């Protein structure tokens, strides 16, 4: 069970891309190896050590409320009993990255797709696709929070709609997901804290995003974020800060169609830029930034 079944890749005109499989699969819990459980335990302990004091109170409390521990890989069935009762969400096992529309449709129906396999010991520090640890440890806990749970469903519904509008709308919406769900920060009375899943599953970025002088830290602004390109292969150059999870759900109430139309006429912003009108918590020094590569 060590070698997770990789998502098949094929050569296309866009290069070597993963061929998405949309199948929903049962979590093969009894077939996880001792090594799989050890990888979970190692990553869980390492991340909890770095996240206490850095992750949002809500994130840490939700993980504990779910009974997540380093002892073993959690069972989707156990989590689903809790999650369905709390916010009506459930986890579904998948092979890996899904086509965007399939992914949005799951979220729109309060189903969060969780990759069934966990990375190998050799991939402890980085792997390109979301594995079980990234999804289960990173994304699932905040689905216990009713407001964030509503935001995730609203995002899914928005994604299904953006998919029918076109690629530009999808790019705008994906940036919103990237700078909130994956790499978002939240302001607490005792300082800035992490809630983004891409950060909480990475030891280095959990420290970098709050303590390095390099990145910008800027207050949440919906259209500013939807115009801002991001990085896939390095730490983010800019982190956006919400005041509350309610701010996210409030931002997704209006119909985005006129926003997409307005943004289609405007230039996008480089990932590391600071714009007039930004509410700047910290203007980054930019040290270590790579040029190019913003998407
Ligand atoms: N598929 N399984 C899975 N998990 C994701 O987080 C995911 C995805 N497909 C597409 C995707 N995320 C992003 O492109 C979203 O912005 C849609
Ligand atoms: Fe993710």
């Amino acid at each position: 069970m060590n070698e997770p079944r990789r998502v098949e890749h094929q050569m296309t005109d866009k290069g070597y891309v993963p061929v998405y499989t949309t199948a929903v699969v049962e979590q093969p819990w009894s077939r996880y190896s001792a090594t799989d459980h050890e990888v979970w335990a190692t990553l869980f302990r390492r991340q909890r050590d770095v996240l206490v004091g850095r992750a949002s109170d809500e994130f840490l409390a939700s993980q504990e409320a779910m009974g997540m521990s380093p002892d073993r890989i959690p069972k989707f069935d156990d989590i689903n009993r809790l999650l369905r009762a709390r916010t009506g969400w459930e986890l579904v096992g998948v092979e890996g990255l899904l086509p965007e529309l399939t992914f949005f449709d799951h979220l729109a129906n309060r189903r969060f797709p969780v990759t069934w396999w966990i990375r190998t010991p050799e991939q402890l520090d980085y792997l390109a696709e979301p594995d079980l640890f990234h999804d289960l440890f990173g994304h699932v806990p905040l689905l216990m929070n009713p407001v964030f749970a509503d935001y995730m469903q609203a995002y899914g519904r928005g994604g299904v709609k953006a998919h029918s509008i076109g690629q530009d709308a999808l790019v705008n919406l994906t940036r919103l997901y990237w700078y909130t769900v994956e790499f978002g920060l939240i302001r607490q009375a005792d300082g800035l804290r992490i809630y983004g899943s891409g950060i909480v599953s990475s030891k280095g970025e959990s420290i970098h995003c709050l303590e390095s002088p390099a990145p910008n830290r800027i207050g949440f602004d919906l259209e500013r974020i939807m115009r801002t390109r991001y990085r896939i292969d390095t730490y983010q150059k800019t982190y956006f800060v919400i005041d509350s999870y309610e701010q996210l759900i409030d931002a997704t109430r209006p119909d985005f169609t006129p926003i997409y139309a307005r943004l289609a006429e405007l230039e996008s912003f480089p990932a590391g830029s600071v714009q007039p009108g930004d509410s700047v918590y910290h203007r980054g020094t930019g040290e270590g930034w790579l040029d190019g590569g913003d998407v």
Side-chain angles (χ1 to χ4, degrees):
M1 272 302 289
N2 274 352
E3 266 313 306
R5 265 182 290 147
R6 310 292 300 159
V7 173
E8 299 311 315
H9 287 66
Q10 72 183 24
M11 188 50 88
T12 71
D13 58 348
K14 291 190 181 65
Y16 207 49
V17 295
V19 173
Y20 295 134
T21 55
T22 59
V24 167
V25 298
E26 280 303 306
Q27 180 190 26
W29 196 84
S30 57
R31 289 192 290 122
Y32 287 135
S33 68
T35 304
D36 290 329
H37 288 290
E38 277 157 27
V39 166
W40 168 268
T42 306
L43 287 170
F44 187 95
R45 288 196 185 94
R46 186 184 78 176
Q47 286 312 107
R48 283 290 301 200
D49 284 352
V50 79
L51 289 173
V52 175
R54 292 190 178 93
S56 73
D57 295 341
E58 190 69 21
F59 174 85
L60 295 169
S62 297
Q63 258 190 2
E64 285 148 29
M66 289 185 134
M68 281 195 186
S69 87
D71 301 346
R72 74 190 75 74
I73 292 173
K75 292 183 180 175
F76 293 3
D77 291 347
D78 294 347
I79 290 188
N80 281 340
R81 263 192 295 282
L82 210 59
L83 210 44
R84 281 193 193 106
R86 183 73 70 97
T87 58
W89 274 82
E90 64 172 326
L91 314 183
V92 289
V94 292
E95 294 286 351
L97 277 175
L98 299 171
E100 287 185 326
L101 189 55
T102 311
F103 179 69
F104 292 136
D105 181 61
H106 279 308
L107 299 190
N109 292 286
R110 294 201 175 226
R111 294 189 301 266
F112 193 84
V114 177
T115 300
W116 66 264
W117 49 264
I118 194 164
R119 67 191 77 176
T120 61
E122 296 70 36
Q123 298 167 311
L124 222 47
D125 291 316
Y126 181 74
L127 83 162
E129 294 150 276
D131 74 328
L132 179 137
F133 185 77
H134 170 86
D135 286 335
L136 204 46
F137 181 94
H139 279 287
V140 167
L142 277 181
L143 294 175
M144 292 277 277
N145 172 292
V147 176
F148 191 82
D150 288 351
Y151 172 68
M152 287 296 278
Q153 180 175 39
Y155 179 85
R157 287 177 170 153
V160 171
K161 198 167 148 195
H163 196 272
S164 64
I165 294 175
Q167 191 53 28
D168 287 353
L170 269 183
V171 167
N172 292 149
L173 194 69
T174 296
R175 289 172 181 159
L176 175 62
Y177 187 84
W178 194 266
Y179 282 118
T180 57
V181 178
E182 293 292 359
F183 291 94
L185 302 181
I186 185 168
R187 181 166 57 90
Q188 291 186 172
D190 50 355
L192 301 189
R193 293 289 183 270
I194 302 162
Y195 71 93
S197 308
I199 306 178
V200 295
S201 43
S202 153
K203 176 178 181 180
E205 193 147 15
S206 296
I207 297 167
H208 175 86
C209 71
L210 293 176
E211 294 160 36
S212 165
N216 303 312
R217 296 178 189 94
I218 293 172
F220 175 92
D221 174 310
L222 180 74
E223 294 191 25
R224 161 55 161 116
I225 285 177
M226 292 171 85
R227 291 177 69 182
T228 305
R229 301 194 299 271
Y230 55 85
R231 315 282 310 175
I232 287 187
D233 51 358
T234 65
Y235 295 162
Q236 298 310 305
K237 292 183 174 178
T238 299
Y239 296 96
F240 288 94
V241 183
I242 58 174
D243 295 323
S244 66
Y245 300 112
E246 285 76 9
Q247 190 177 15
L248 291 176
I249 191 70
D250 291 346
T252 51
R253 285 199 208 292
D255 171 12
F256 277 17
T257 310
I259 298 176
Y260 294 137
R262 189 162 47 248
L263 295 183
E265 307 303 317
L266 299 170
E267 283 299 300
S268 62
F269 296 139
S273 68
V274 176
Q275 298 298 326
D278 279 349
S279 162
V280 180
Y281 286 82
H282 171 79
R283 182 184 290 269
T285 61
E287 89 194 57
W289 284 1
L290 302 177
D291 293 331
D294 289 0
V295 291

